[in-house]
Amino acid sequence: MNVSSVPLTFSLYSSLRVYNVALFVCVCALYVCGLCVSLLLLVVVCAERRLHRPMYVLLANLAASGAVGSSAVCPLVMRHLMADAPQTSLAGCLTQVFFTNVYGGCVFCILALMAYDRYVSICKPLLYGCVMTPARVALMLLAVYALLGTLSAVHVYMISSLALCTHTVDKLTCDSLVVSKLSCERSPAVGAFGLCSAVCVMLVPGLLVVLSYAQIFTVILKTCKESRTKALQTCTPHFVTFLNFSVASFFGVLYNRLHQHVPKTVNVLTSINFFVLPPLLHPVVYGIQLQEIQQSIRKMMSGKIIPA
């Protein structure tokens, strides 16, 4: 592994100097709120025995992945916003790349598992207890973390072996493609591996989500009006939230290839929409608004929850 000792300089922050304080306040407020909501959800799900079911276990893992992803980015962004010369080491940048890659993949995969869980519960209710067992859910989550951790570690190792000819990053955060572009020569192997990894962790889970919700909407449209309204009120926000995260991911990838022709404010908005908003919105949209979660929060506040 060949990790350069020359720090990387983030040139984008200098062009945003007028808005740095406002951005710092915005990022800090959203980050802290997202972290608090995620931790609240994790504590409630872990402490309340009746929430130890597949849907809530997946929700807790989604909240945890959001907290890890935002924590890998937001503190460094806030530090750079207040620094005269925003810099970080290549090792620190690669560490951020590892955790943000795992974060993005986790969100897609866990949302796919949650969509599948809803598909089974709505379309195959009699088989739910046999299909979504605690052991099977734990095994699926373990497989997701093992796969994403391995892919990200291999990708980071391949990038770290590249010799860098420039050390200026024209983005808000580090990512694998940006670091690869700093190298003296383009590596087809690194690019191909990154593309295959993206297909595995984005396209496949995304397809599973679309197919699951297509089946769900097909089934609920055939039910009575009251059941249809309730199911649509539950599923529609989830699907819209997934689309928002997918669009943010798509524009993030697109910006890396067209950044010379796109205003820098687009990168700022895309980064916030990818790293800051989802860790706040996902626990609220998928969890806090659920009646059982709200009841458990009230019980916890009144001291009636007995830790498992």
Side-chain angles (χ1 to χ4, degrees):
M1 183 180 293
N2 177 29
V3 179
S4 172
S5 59
V6 180
L8 301 181
T9 301
F10 292 78
S11 60
L12 179 62
Y13 291 88
S14 60
S15 62
L16 303 172
R17 187 65 60 188
V18 179
Y19 308 102
N20 277 13
V21 174
L23 280 172
F24 178 89
V25 173
C26 177
V27 172
C28 182
L30 292 173
Y31 169 60
V32 172
C33 289
L35 205 58
C36 290
V37 172
S38 296
L39 291 176
L40 173 63
L41 197 57
L42 282 169
V43 169
V44 170
V45 172
C46 291
E48 181 65 280
R49 289 190 181 94
R50 64 174 182 156
L51 298 182
H52 294 178
R53 303 204 303 269
M55 180 175 68
Y56 298 106
V57 171
L58 292 172
L59 177 58
N61 279 268
L62 182 66
S65 66
V68 170
S70 61
S71 296
V73 171
C74 292
L76 193 62
V77 169
M78 290 188 289
R79 192 187 78 183
H80 286 169
L81 286 169
M82 294 292 100
D84 294 328
Q87 291 183 332
T88 189
S89 66
L90 179 57
C93 187
L94 292 175
T95 301
Q96 188 180 81
V97 170
F98 174 81
F99 283 108
T100 54
N101 283 352
V102 172
Y103 155 70
C106 275
V107 172
F108 276 107
C109 291
I110 294 175
L111 288 179
L113 291 177
M114 292 175 70
Y116 180 70
D117 174 81
R118 286 188 173 84
Y119 160 74
V120 177
S121 65
I122 293 174
C123 302
K124 310 284 184 181
L126 298 179
L127 298 177
Y128 185 83
C130 299
V131 175
M132 299 300 292
T133 62
R136 187 167 295 175
V137 171
L139 185 62
M140 288 190 292
L141 287 170
L142 182 62
V144 166
Y145 292 133
L147 174 64
L148 295 176
T150 301
L151 289 176
S152 188
V154 172
H155 199 194
V156 167
Y157 178 82
M158 295 173 71
I159 295 171
S160 68
S161 64
L162 301 174
L164 304 186
C165 286
T166 180
H167 296 81
T168 302
V169 177
D170 192 27
K171 280 198 70 175
L172 208 64
T173 61
C174 294
D175 62 54
S176 54
L177 187 58
V178 165
V179 179
S180 298
K181 287 184 175 181
L182 301 179
S183 62
C184 302
E185 296 181 1
R186 294 289 182 265
S187 173
V190 173
F193 186 84
L195 181 61
C196 291
S197 298
V199 170
C200 288
V201 303
M202 292 174 61
L203 189 60
V204 175
L207 184 61
L208 179 60
V209 169
V210 171
L211 291 176
S212 296
Y213 277 106
Q215 290 294 321
I216 289 171
F217 287 134
T218 300
V219 170
I220 63 179
L221 288 175
K222 298 177 182 178
T223 60
C224 65
K225 183 178 180 180
E226 183 179 352
S227 299
R228 182 166 65 247
T229 301
K230 185 177 179 180
L232 286 173
Q233 287 175 345
T234 302
C235 294
T236 302
H238 299 169
F239 189 64
V240 171
T241 306
F242 168 76
L243 286 179
N244 174 68
F245 188 78
S246 300
V247 170
S249 304
F250 173 76
F251 277 108
V253 174
L254 194 64
Y255 180 86
N256 282 338
R257 288 161 173 78
L258 303 174
H259 69 280
Q260 295 178 343
H261 310 287
V262 179
K264 291 180 172 57
T265 51
V266 174
N267 175 242
V268 176
L269 295 175
T270 300
S271 297
I272 290 176
N273 196 31
F274 185 79
F275 292 110
V276 184
L277 289 180
L280 173 60
L281 292 179
H282 288 167
V284 174
V285 173
Y286 288 97
I288 301 299
Q289 54 118 7
L290 295 177
Q291 186 176 2
E292 284 187 294
I293 295 289
Q294 293 176 358
Q295 291 173 351
S296 297
I297 291 175
R298 285 194 289 269
K299 286 176 62 178
M300 186 179 69
M301 296 302 179
S302 62
K304 295 181 180 178
I305 284 186
I306 301 175

